[in-house]
Amino acid sequence: MDELPIGRRVAYWRGRRKMSQQVFADRLGKSKSWVDKVERGVRRLDKFSVVYDIADVLQVDVTLLLGKEVERKPEAQNCIDQVEVEEIRAALERYDQMSAFFQAVPHSPPLPEMRKAVSHAWLTYQHAKYGVLARALPKLLRDAQAADSAHANSDEASHAAHLLGQVYQIASSALRKVGEHELSWLAADRSIAVSQRAGDQLLAGLASYRVGSALLALGRVRPSLEVNVNIANRLAPIGPERPKAEQLSVYGMLLLNGAMAAARIGDTATVRDLICGAEQASLELGGDFNYYWTSFGPTNVQLHRCATAVDLGDGRLAVETHLSMDKTGFQAMLPERRAHHYLDIARGYTQIGDVEKAGEMLLEGDRLAPSEIRCRPLAHEVLSDVLRRTRGTPPAPIAELAEQMGVGV
């Protein structure tokens, strides 16, 4: 799209936003005729102030209008590409709550409609449909921000804040998957502030989990360990009363995330302690559940045993743990969790020199949730390693996957 004149780019993004020329013109304070002439190239856009106004209405970075857009790759159609990253970035850079202090709050969808959209986004993420999610996230972010502003002084304020906090967490998780770690941290940090306004300790705890994940991805391992353990300690079930299932789930996930950070610095003792604490919580919970979208339970604890073993360099332990897992519990896990696990076990097999089994694990993950394998930089690294260490010609399915992912030896 780089070669298109700016008017055509304006028309393209207006179409992406599903705005008519009249609606677009009204929001710009221009006539429909003016918009039509700009899009056809009859009228030039020679004032930067007008270009910036257009970018603001279309909710895109101005560089996209000026022809700096990164070309979409066909193989990335089910992933989050740079166009969608920039749209999400633009949504995260909005400060609607501050704007609402000075002017009327923009229209927002009804909260029941928002709840359905947020639940659908969570399920889309947990089924690893990252391309679908990426195309929905910018609008969902804007709608949730508008709803939060619109209900700021009403009885529904905490409910609107809760929904926005969830949307920030969904965005953080999706961005981290595709390597946008700084943006992932920003979204998670926003969720902490919003979750506090929502008055929900567990949502704030999960926001801390997302912050810990983003910090870990950024290589900030010790801060990641600290934030997970500190918040887990505050949510720890104590006292004679039986803890709620939701509390056990969030508490357990914080411990597991802390274990991942501890593994990254080779702290085997801390990994063991945190995994054991999470295992105890999962036994109290009594099974695998998806409270607060955590997928927490005994099976997820086992998945993290494998993942931490891999990060500690003990591929053999990871593979042995994988082979001894409860197959029924594993099959009941959502696709994102299972495909993520196959990627971890592929890494484990490479550590013990079995590149053939590593390739099989990548193929299993790809069959289950293609985006979890094809969209993640880590999976590209593992596949490249498998290809490099394969003697002779790689098996046809691996060669085909490599071609589709654009991975060479």
Side-chain angles (χ1 to χ4, degrees):
M1 200 168 118
D2 290 354
E3 70 279 3
L4 293 181
I6 189 169
R8 291 283 299 280
R9 293 190 205 107
V10 171
Y12 168 79
W13 285 105
R14 178 179 61 76
R16 284 281 296 263
R17 295 289 178 260
K18 295 181 172 57
M19 282 187 216
S20 67
Q21 283 188 337
Q22 186 63 62
V23 169
F24 182 48
D26 290 345
R27 294 185 182 181
L28 271 177
K30 302 287 187 181
S31 68
K32 180 181 176 184
S33 173
W34 184 91
V35 170
D36 182 64
K37 288 177 181 177
V38 165
E39 293 185 349
R40 289 190 292 114
V42 176
R43 187 182 186 100
R44 293 183 60 190
L45 286 174
D46 49 11
K47 290 185 179 180
F48 276 111
S49 60
V50 177
V51 175
Y52 277 102
D53 286 343
I54 290 172
D56 187 54
V57 170
L58 294 176
Q59 294 301 306
V60 299
D61 193 288
V62 71
T63 57
L64 295 182
L65 291 182
L66 295 174
K68 307 293 185 183
E69 178 181 6
V70 177
E71 183 181 358
R72 288 176 181 270
K73 297 179 180 179
E75 66 269 19
Q77 61 183 333
N78 293 317
C79 299
I80 303 177
D81 67 17
Q82 198 58 38
V83 171
E84 280 131 6
V85 167
E86 290 305 323
E87 289 190 71
I88 295 169
R89 186 192 307 277
L92 287 172
E93 288 173 349
R94 289 177 63 81
Y95 289 87
D96 281 352
Q97 287 142 320
M98 192 61 182
S99 300
F101 184 75
F102 297 102
Q103 62 190 35
V105 174
H107 169 74
S108 67
L111 289 186
E113 183 179 316
M114 281 297 306
R115 288 188 189 96
K116 290 180 181 178
V118 172
S119 293
H120 184 263
W122 273 121
L123 288 172
T124 303
Y125 171 76
Q126 292 190 321
H127 282 81
K129 296 179 180 178
Y130 302 138
V132 175
L133 180 61
R135 289 184 281 279
L137 261 178
K139 182 178 185 302
L140 186 59
L141 278 163
R142 291 192 299 273
D143 286 348
Q145 289 164 339
D148 184 51
S149 296
H151 293 283
N153 298 311
S154 75
D155 294 340
E156 298 285 357
S158 62
H159 298 297
H162 202 285
L163 290 170
L164 178 57
Q166 290 184 63
V167 176
Y168 280 141
Q169 291 193 37
I170 297 167
S172 176
S173 297
L175 288 163
R176 180 174 50 81
K177 286 281 189 182
V178 295
E180 292 290 338
H181 304 319
E182 292 283 356
L183 271 185
S184 174
W185 178 86
L186 173 62
D189 188 64
R190 290 276 180 84
S191 182
I192 286 182
V194 175
S195 299
Q196 289 175 337
R197 286 197 289 105
D200 187 335
Q201 280 192 335
L202 298 183
L203 186 65
L206 267 185
S208 301
Y209 168 92
R210 312 290 172 194
V211 167
S213 296
L215 288 171
L216 186 59
L218 286 165
R220 303 282 295 159
V221 182
R222 292 194 180 277
S224 173
L225 176 59
E226 288 172 7
V227 72
N228 280 291
V229 172
N230 288 343
I231 302 303
N233 286 338
R234 296 180 190 182
L235 291 177
I238 54 176
E241 295 184 5
R242 180 178 174 81
K244 292 183 179 179
E246 294 88 343
Q247 180 185 359
L248 287 168
S249 297
V250 176
Y251 167 72
M253 287 306 295
L254 284 162
L255 293 180
L256 292 177
N257 215 22
M260 293 300 300
R264 198 68 59 86
I265 55 176
D267 189 345
T268 307
T270 299
V271 170
R272 183 179 61 248
D273 289 347
L274 293 175
I275 291 282
C276 287
E279 184 174 44
Q280 183 59 42
S282 75
L283 294 175
E284 282 194 67
L285 186 62
D288 297 300
F289 299 97
N290 202 20
Y291 296 113
Y292 273 71
W293 309 99
T294 57
S295 292
F296 180 72
T299 304
N300 209 347
V301 172
Q302 289 296 87
L303 300 191
H304 281 77
R305 281 191 194 278
C306 295
T308 52
V310 170
D311 276 0
L312 287 167
D314 194 344
R316 189 165 302 283
L317 176 60
V319 169
E320 289 173 356
T321 304
H322 163 72
L323 294 174
S324 65
M325 276 195 327
D326 173 49
K327 299 299 185 290
T328 302
F330 179 69
Q331 292 301 323
M333 298 293 282
L334 288 159
E336 180 272 336
R337 283 280 77 214
R338 283 187 283 158
H340 186 135
H341 174 70
Y342 281 127
L343 177 54
D344 285 332
I345 297 305
R347 294 169 62 208
Y349 274 117
T350 62
Q351 288 177 354
I352 61 176
D354 193 339
V355 292
E356 182 180 351
K357 289 296 291 186
E360 289 177 12
M361 293 297 99
L362 290 175
L363 292 171
E364 284 292 333
D366 185 64
R367 278 191 284 269
L368 179 65
S371 293
E372 180 65 16
I373 302 301
R374 302 186 185 198
C375 301
R376 298 197 59 191
L378 178 59
H380 284 241
E381 293 175 16
V382 175
L383 181 54
S384 180
D385 189 30
V386 167
L387 291 172
R388 186 175 63 252
R389 296 166 62 181
T390 297
R391 295 181 179 179
T393 304
I398 286 291
E400 182 180 351
L401 179 61
E403 182 179 358
Q404 291 169 341
M405 290 173 62
V407 176
V409 178

